[in-house]
Amino acid sequence: MESISINEIDQTIEQTQDGIILFHKALCPHCKNMEKVMTRFSSKAPTVSLMMVDSEEDPELLERFGVERVPSLVFVKDKKTVHTKTGLMNPKELFSLYQSL
């Protein structure tokens, strides 16, 4: 999973056909669990780009994407953000949600 910063976000989204951005904090246990869920998800959807943004290092991005809490996932399809989901999910729920978008 690739970590991206405020300087890279626009270029990364422009280059990403489909992806998921995890907004997290380094010491958040729920965020670490979502990282594991996303790793498992990637085995079912290897073409989906997985990215991470540290909300403490780039707090401006939380506001920009309308994220209020972590962990939050921002879904990118066809180079556009299409959905935001906050909280924990299991890999099956994540895969199902991703396919429904």
Side-chain angles (χ1 to χ4, degrees), residues 18 20 24 31 33 36 38 40 42 44 54 59 61 66 71 86-87 89 91 94-95 97:
D18 295 323
I20 303 173
H24 71 100
C31 299
N33 284 337
K36 292 175 187 173
M38 288 179 65
R40 289 189 199 130
S42 69
K44 292 184 178 187
D54 188 318
L61 288 176
T86 300
M89 289 183 279
L94 178 56
F95 190 73
L97 175 59

Side-chain angles (χ1 to χ4, degrees), residues 19-51:
I20 303 173
I21 305 169
L22 169 63
F23 285 82
H24 71 100
K25 289 183 182 178
L27 298 177
C28 167
H30 298 301
C31 299
K32 290 178 189 212
N33 284 337
M34 274 312 298
E35 230 180 296
K36 292 175 187 173
V37 167
M38 288 179 65
T39 299
R40 289 189 199 130
F41 167 83
S42 69
S43 67
K44 292 184 178 187
T47 61
V48 178
S49 297
L50 302 179
M51 301 156 275

Side-chain angles (χ1 to χ4, degrees), residues 25-85:
K25 289 183 182 178
L27 298 177
C28 167
H30 298 301
C31 299
K32 290 178 189 212
N33 284 337
M34 274 312 298
E35 230 180 296
K36 292 175 187 173
V37 167
M38 288 179 65
T39 299
R40 289 189 199 130
F41 167 83
S42 69
S43 67
K44 292 184 178 187
T47 61
V48 178
S49 297
L50 302 179
M51 301 156 275
M52 296 178 15
V53 171
D54 188 318
S55 62
E56 293 177 317
E57 289 181 16
D58 291 310
E60 305 87 24
L61 288 176
L62 279 110
E63 186 175 324
R64 177 174 163 191
F65 286 93
V67 173
E68 295 180 6
R69 296 185 348 220
V70 294
S72 286
L73 301 176
V74 173
F75 295 84
V76 176
K77 289 229 175 176
D78 297 323
K79 303 179 184 182
K80 295 181 176 88
T81 57
V82 295
H83 186 69
T84 302
K85 171 79 169 115

